PDB file of all heavy atoms in Angstrom:
ATOM      1  N   TYR A  35      -3.064  19.260 -15.278  1.00  0.00           N
ATOM      2  CA  TYR A  35      -3.604  18.060 -15.895  1.00  0.00           C
ATOM      3  C   TYR A  35      -3.598  16.928 -14.871  1.00  0.00           C
ATOM      4  O   TYR A  35      -2.713  16.828 -14.019  1.00  0.00           O
ATOM      5  CB  TYR A  35      -2.768  17.634 -17.120  1.00  0.00           C
ATOM      6  CG  TYR A  35      -2.944  18.549 -18.291  1.00  0.00           C
ATOM      7  CD1 TYR A  35      -2.208  19.724 -18.392  1.00  0.00           C
ATOM      8  CD2 TYR A  35      -3.856  18.258 -19.298  1.00  0.00           C
ATOM      9  CE1 TYR A  35      -2.375  20.582 -19.462  1.00  0.00           C
ATOM     10  CE2 TYR A  35      -4.031  19.111 -20.373  1.00  0.00           C
ATOM     11  CZ  TYR A  35      -3.293  20.266 -20.443  1.00  0.00           C
ATOM     12  OH  TYR A  35      -3.471  21.120 -21.505  1.00  0.00           O
ATOM     13  N   GLN A  36      -4.601  16.069 -14.993  1.00  0.00           N
ATOM     14  CA  GLN A  36      -4.707  14.865 -14.170  1.00  0.00           C
ATOM     15  C   GLN A  36      -4.467  13.657 -15.065  1.00  0.00           C
ATOM     16  O   GLN A  36      -4.946  13.611 -16.196  1.00  0.00           O
ATOM     17  CB  GLN A  36      -6.118  14.774 -13.569  1.00  0.00           C
ATOM     18  CG  GLN A  36      -6.388  13.543 -12.728  1.00  0.00           C
ATOM     19  CD  GLN A  36      -7.874  13.392 -12.420  1.00  0.00           C
ATOM     20  OE1 GLN A  36      -8.691  13.240 -13.307  1.00  0.00           O
ATOM     21  NE2 GLN A  36      -8.222  13.453 -11.143  1.00  0.00           N
ATOM     22  N   GLN A  37      -3.723  12.693 -14.552  1.00  0.00           N
ATOM     23  CA  GLN A  37      -3.494  11.469 -15.316  1.00  0.00           C
ATOM     24  C   GLN A  37      -3.597  10.268 -14.393  1.00  0.00           C
ATOM     25  O   GLN A  37      -2.794  10.101 -13.480  1.00  0.00           O
ATOM     26  CB  GLN A  37      -2.142  11.495 -16.011  1.00  0.00           C
ATOM     27  CG  GLN A  37      -1.921  10.305 -16.950  1.00  0.00           C
ATOM     28  CD  GLN A  37      -0.605  10.394 -17.713  1.00  0.00           C
ATOM     29  OE1 GLN A  37       0.361  10.995 -17.251  1.00  0.00           O
ATOM     30  NE2 GLN A  37      -0.552   9.798 -18.901  1.00  0.00           N
ATOM     31  N   HIS A  38      -4.602   9.426 -14.649  1.00  0.00           N
ATOM     32  CA  HIS A  38      -4.710   8.164 -13.929  1.00  0.00           C
ATOM     33  C   HIS A  38      -3.768   7.147 -14.565  1.00  0.00           C
ATOM     34  O   HIS A  38      -3.425   7.262 -15.755  1.00  0.00           O
ATOM     35  CB  HIS A  38      -6.152   7.647 -13.961  1.00  0.00           C
ATOM     36  CG  HIS A  38      -7.084   8.414 -13.099  1.00  0.00           C
ATOM     37  ND1 HIS A  38      -7.915   9.405 -13.585  1.00  0.00           N
ATOM     38  CD2 HIS A  38      -7.310   8.353 -11.755  1.00  0.00           C
ATOM     39  CE1 HIS A  38      -8.613   9.915 -12.591  1.00  0.00           C
ATOM     40  NE2 HIS A  38      -8.268   9.309 -11.467  1.00  0.00           N
ATOM     41  N   ASP A  39      -3.371   6.162 -13.763  1.00  0.00           N
ATOM     42  CA  ASP A  39      -2.475   5.111 -14.262  1.00  0.00           C
ATOM     43  C   ASP A  39      -3.067   4.480 -15.514  1.00  0.00           C
ATOM     44  O   ASP A  39      -4.223   4.055 -15.521  1.00  0.00           O
ATOM     45  CB  ASP A  39      -2.275   4.028 -13.191  1.00  0.00           C
ATOM     46  CG  ASP A  39      -1.377   4.504 -12.074  1.00  0.00           C
ATOM     47  OD1 ASP A  39      -0.711   5.541 -12.244  1.00  0.00           O
ATOM     48  OD2 ASP A  39      -1.350   3.835 -11.018  1.00  0.00           O
ATOM     49  N   GLY A  40      -2.258   4.399 -16.562  1.00  0.00           N
ATOM     50  CA  GLY A  40      -2.709   3.789 -17.800  1.00  0.00           C
ATOM     51  C   GLY A  40      -3.580   4.678 -18.659  1.00  0.00           C
ATOM     52  O   GLY A  40      -4.002   4.269 -19.742  1.00  0.00           O
ATOM     53  N   GLY A  41      -3.849   5.891 -18.194  1.00  0.00           N
ATOM     54  CA  GLY A  41      -4.724   6.787 -18.947  1.00  0.00           C
ATOM     55  C   GLY A  41      -3.982   7.941 -19.565  1.00  0.00           C
ATOM     56  O   GLY A  41      -2.760   8.066 -19.425  1.00  0.00           O
ATOM     57  N   ALA A  42      -4.714   8.800 -20.234  1.00  0.00           N
ATOM     58  CA  ALA A  42      -4.140   9.989 -20.855  1.00  0.00           C
ATOM     59  C   ALA A  42      -4.335  11.191 -19.937  1.00  0.00           C
ATOM     60  O   ALA A  42      -5.244  11.205 -19.104  1.00  0.00           O
ATOM     61  CB  ALA A  42      -4.808  10.254 -22.201  1.00  0.00           C
ATOM     62  N   PRO A  43      -3.500  12.207 -20.058  1.00  0.00           N
ATOM     63  CA  PRO A  43      -3.721  13.428 -19.279  1.00  0.00           C
ATOM     64  C   PRO A  43      -5.044  14.077 -19.654  1.00  0.00           C
ATOM     65  O   PRO A  43      -5.408  14.118 -20.843  1.00  0.00           O
ATOM     66  CB  PRO A  43      -2.545  14.319 -19.685  1.00  0.00           C
ATOM     67  CG  PRO A  43      -1.515  13.391 -20.228  1.00  0.00           C
ATOM     68  CD  PRO A  43      -2.271  12.279 -20.864  1.00  0.00           C
ATOM     69  N   THR A  44      -5.754  14.575 -18.654  1.00  0.00           N
ATOM     70  CA  THR A  44      -6.977  15.324 -18.919  1.00  0.00           C
ATOM     71  C   THR A  44      -6.855  16.700 -18.275  1.00  0.00           C
ATOM     72  O   THR A  44      -6.330  16.836 -17.162  1.00  0.00           O
ATOM     73  CB  THR A  44      -8.231  14.614 -18.393  1.00  0.00           C
ATOM     74  OG1 THR A  44      -8.060  14.352 -16.994  1.00  0.00           O
ATOM     75  CG2 THR A  44      -8.474  13.320 -19.114  1.00  0.00           C
ATOM     76  N   PHE A  45      -7.338  17.693 -18.967  1.00  0.00           N
ATOM     77  CA  PHE A  45      -7.215  19.076 -18.549  1.00  0.00           C
ATOM     78  C   PHE A  45      -8.081  19.349 -17.324  1.00  0.00           C
ATOM     79  O   PHE A  45      -9.227  18.917 -17.235  1.00  0.00           O
ATOM     80  CB  PHE A  45      -7.661  19.978 -19.706  1.00  0.00           C
ATOM     81  CG  PHE A  45      -7.747  21.443 -19.354  1.00  0.00           C
ATOM     82  CD1 PHE A  45      -6.608  22.226 -19.332  1.00  0.00           C
ATOM     83  CD2 PHE A  45      -8.959  22.024 -19.057  1.00  0.00           C
ATOM     84  CE1 PHE A  45      -6.686  23.570 -19.033  1.00  0.00           C
ATOM     85  CE2 PHE A  45      -9.061  23.365 -18.752  1.00  0.00           C
ATOM     86  CZ  PHE A  45      -7.913  24.145 -18.745  1.00  0.00           C
ATOM     87  N   LEU A  46      -7.498  20.088 -16.356  1.00  0.00           N
ATOM     88  CA  LEU A  46      -8.250  20.467 -15.162  1.00  0.00           C
ATOM     89  C   LEU A  46      -8.494  21.973 -15.097  1.00  0.00           C
ATOM     90  O   LEU A  46      -9.604  22.414 -14.812  1.00  0.00           O
ATOM     91  CB  LEU A  46      -7.485  20.053 -13.903  1.00  0.00           C
ATOM     92  CG  LEU A  46      -7.336  18.558 -13.621  1.00  0.00           C
ATOM     93  CD1 LEU A  46      -6.483  18.347 -12.380  1.00  0.00           C
ATOM     94  CD2 LEU A  46      -8.689  17.891 -13.468  1.00  0.00           C
ATOM     95  N   SER A  47      -7.427  22.751 -15.339  1.00  0.00           N
ATOM     96  CA  SER A  47      -7.555  24.185 -15.071  1.00  0.00           C
ATOM     97  C   SER A  47      -6.437  24.945 -15.764  1.00  0.00           C
ATOM     98  O   SER A  47      -5.396  24.369 -16.088  1.00  0.00           O
ATOM     99  CB  SER A  47      -7.478  24.425 -13.566  1.00  0.00           C
ATOM    100  OG  SER A  47      -7.785  25.761 -13.237  1.00  0.00           O
ATOM    101  N   TYR A  48      -6.680  26.245 -15.963  1.00  0.00           N
ATOM    102  CA  TYR A  48      -5.699  27.096 -16.615  1.00  0.00           C
ATOM    103  C   TYR A  48      -5.733  28.485 -15.976  1.00  0.00           C
ATOM    104  O   TYR A  48      -6.808  29.023 -15.725  1.00  0.00           O
ATOM    105  CB  TYR A  48      -6.029  27.209 -18.110  1.00  0.00           C
ATOM    106  CG  TYR A  48      -5.127  28.129 -18.892  1.00  0.00           C
ATOM    107  CD1 TYR A  48      -3.958  27.661 -19.448  1.00  0.00           C
ATOM    108  CD2 TYR A  48      -5.460  29.476 -19.090  1.00  0.00           C
ATOM    109  CE1 TYR A  48      -3.127  28.494 -20.185  1.00  0.00           C
ATOM    110  CE2 TYR A  48      -4.637  30.310 -19.818  1.00  0.00           C
ATOM    111  CZ  TYR A  48      -3.480  29.818 -20.366  1.00  0.00           C
ATOM    112  OH  TYR A  48      -2.650  30.636 -21.099  1.00  0.00           O
ATOM    113  N   ASN A  49      -4.536  29.044 -15.715  1.00  0.00           N
ATOM    114  CA  ASN A  49      -4.424  30.422 -15.226  1.00  0.00           C
ATOM    115  C   ASN A  49      -3.466  31.192 -16.127  1.00  0.00           C
ATOM    116  O   ASN A  49      -2.335  30.769 -16.320  1.00  0.00           O
ATOM    117  CB  ASN A  49      -3.859  30.456 -13.795  1.00  0.00           C
ATOM    118  CG  ASN A  49      -4.763  29.808 -12.778  1.00  0.00           C
ATOM    119  OD1 ASN A  49      -4.880  28.590 -12.748  1.00  0.00           O
ATOM    120  ND2 ASN A  49      -5.375  30.603 -11.937  1.00  0.00           N
ATOM    121  N   ALA A  50      -3.952  32.292 -16.657  1.00  0.00           N
ATOM    122  CA  ALA A  50      -3.069  33.186 -17.406  1.00  0.00           C
ATOM    123  C   ALA A  50      -2.754  34.438 -16.577  1.00  0.00           C
ATOM    124  O   ALA A  50      -1.696  35.046 -16.739  1.00  0.00           O
ATOM    125  CB  ALA A  50      -3.705  33.603 -18.723  1.00  0.00           C
ATOM    126  N   LEU A  51      -3.665  34.780 -15.688  1.00  0.00           N
ATOM    127  CA  LEU A  51      -3.501  35.971 -14.863  1.00  0.00           C
ATOM    128  C   LEU A  51      -3.450  35.576 -13.390  1.00  0.00           C
ATOM    129  O   LEU A  51      -3.897  34.491 -13.005  1.00  0.00           O
ATOM    130  CB  LEU A  51      -4.674  36.937 -15.093  1.00  0.00           C
ATOM    131  CG  LEU A  51      -4.876  37.403 -16.531  1.00  0.00           C
ATOM    132  CD1 LEU A  51      -6.152  38.213 -16.644  1.00  0.00           C
ATOM    133  CD2 LEU A  51      -3.672  38.197 -17.014  1.00  0.00           C
ATOM    134  N   ASP A  52      -2.912  36.465 -12.567  1.00  0.00           N
ATOM    135  CA  ASP A  52      -2.843  36.208 -11.132  1.00  0.00           C
ATOM    136  C   ASP A  52      -4.232  35.992 -10.552  1.00  0.00           C
ATOM    137  O   ASP A  52      -5.204  36.627 -10.970  1.00  0.00           O
ATOM    138  CB  ASP A  52      -2.193  37.399 -10.415  1.00  0.00           C
ATOM    139  CG  ASP A  52      -0.708  37.488 -10.678  1.00  0.00           C
ATOM    140  OD1 ASP A  52      -0.170  36.608 -11.373  1.00  0.00           O
ATOM    141  OD2 ASP A  52      -0.082  38.443 -10.183  1.00  0.00           O
ATOM    142  N   GLY A  53      -4.286  35.094  -9.577  1.00  0.00           N
ATOM    143  CA  GLY A  53      -5.535  34.900  -8.874  1.00  0.00           C
ATOM    144  C   GLY A  53      -5.985  33.466  -8.891  1.00  0.00           C
ATOM    145  O   GLY A  53      -5.253  32.561  -9.280  1.00  0.00           O
ATOM    146  N   LEU A  54      -7.202  33.296  -8.447  1.00  0.00           N
ATOM    147  CA  LEU A  54      -7.778  31.975  -8.236  1.00  0.00           C
ATOM    148  C   LEU A  54      -8.834  31.683  -9.297  1.00  0.00           C
ATOM    149  O   LEU A  54      -9.671  32.523  -9.594  1.00  0.00           O
ATOM    150  CB  LEU A  54      -8.418  31.938  -6.836  1.00  0.00           C
ATOM    151  CG  LEU A  54      -8.838  30.589  -6.276  1.00  0.00           C
ATOM    152  CD1 LEU A  54      -7.609  29.739  -5.991  1.00  0.00           C
ATOM    153  CD2 LEU A  54      -9.659  30.784  -5.007  1.00  0.00           C
ATOM    154  N   GLU A  55      -8.759  30.485  -9.868  1.00  0.00           N
ATOM    155  CA  GLU A  55      -9.787  29.996 -10.772  1.00  0.00           C
ATOM    156  C   GLU A  55     -10.447  28.791 -10.115  1.00  0.00           C
ATOM    157  O   GLU A  55      -9.761  27.892  -9.654  1.00  0.00           O
ATOM    158  CB  GLU A  55      -9.171  29.542 -12.110  1.00  0.00           C
ATOM    159  CG  GLU A  55      -8.577  30.649 -12.952  1.00  0.00           C
ATOM    160  CD  GLU A  55      -9.628  31.459 -13.660  1.00  0.00           C
ATOM    161  OE1 GLU A  55     -10.758  30.963 -13.822  1.00  0.00           O
ATOM    162  OE2 GLU A  55      -9.322  32.611 -14.034  1.00  0.00           O
ATOM    163  N   GLU A  56     -11.770  28.786 -10.066  1.00  0.00           N
ATOM    164  CA  GLU A  56     -12.463  27.691  -9.396  1.00  0.00           C
ATOM    165  C   GLU A  56     -13.317  26.916 -10.384  1.00  0.00           C
ATOM    166  O   GLU A  56     -14.061  27.506 -11.157  1.00  0.00           O
ATOM    167  CB  GLU A  56     -13.347  28.248  -8.268  1.00  0.00           C
ATOM    168  CG  GLU A  56     -12.542  28.929  -7.171  1.00  0.00           C
ATOM    169  CD  GLU A  56     -13.413  29.466  -6.051  1.00  0.00           C
ATOM    170  OE1 GLU A  56     -13.888  28.658  -5.233  1.00  0.00           O
ATOM    171  OE2 GLU A  56     -13.623  30.693  -6.007  1.00  0.00           O
ATOM    172  N   THR A  57     -13.170  25.598 -10.324  1.00  0.00           N
ATOM    173  CA  THR A  57     -13.974  24.714 -11.177  1.00  0.00           C
ATOM    174  C   THR A  57     -14.413  23.539 -10.325  1.00  0.00           C
ATOM    175  O   THR A  57     -13.707  22.549 -10.180  1.00  0.00           O
ATOM    176  CB  THR A  57     -13.150  24.194 -12.369  1.00  0.00           C
ATOM    177  OG1 THR A  57     -12.513  25.266 -13.026  1.00  0.00           O
ATOM    178  CG2 THR A  57     -14.051  23.449 -13.352  1.00  0.00           C
ATOM    179  N   GLY A  58     -15.583  23.660  -9.741  1.00  0.00           N
ATOM    180  CA  GLY A  58     -16.092  22.577  -8.908  1.00  0.00           C
ATOM    181  C   GLY A  58     -15.205  22.352  -7.695  1.00  0.00           C
ATOM    182  O   GLY A  58     -14.878  23.288  -6.966  1.00  0.00           O
ATOM    183  N   ARG A  59     -14.787  21.119  -7.490  1.00  0.00           N
ATOM    184  CA  ARG A  59     -13.950  20.804  -6.330  1.00  0.00           C
ATOM    185  C   ARG A  59     -12.497  21.236  -6.515  1.00  0.00           C
ATOM    186  O   ARG A  59     -11.717  21.229  -5.582  1.00  0.00           O
ATOM    187  CB  ARG A  59     -13.973  19.300  -6.057  1.00  0.00           C
ATOM    188  CG  ARG A  59     -15.319  18.745  -5.637  1.00  0.00           C
ATOM    189  CD  ARG A  59     -15.205  17.292  -5.175  1.00  0.00           C
ATOM    190  NE  ARG A  59     -14.795  16.405  -6.249  1.00  0.00           N
ATOM    191  CZ  ARG A  59     -13.642  15.723  -6.261  1.00  0.00           C
ATOM    192  NH1 ARG A  59     -12.792  15.843  -5.270  1.00  0.00           N
ATOM    193  NH2 ARG A  59     -13.360  14.913  -7.262  1.00  0.00           N
TER     194      ARG A  59
END
Side-chain angles (χ1 to χ4, degrees):
Chain A
Y35 288 84
Q36 178 192 62
Q37 186 176 28
H38 287 98
D39 286 346
T44 56
F45 173 81
L46 292 177
S47 188
Y48 177 88
N49 295 73
L51 302 173
D52 288 357
L54 192 68
E55 293 283 340
E56 296 181 76
T57 310
R59 295 189 295 116

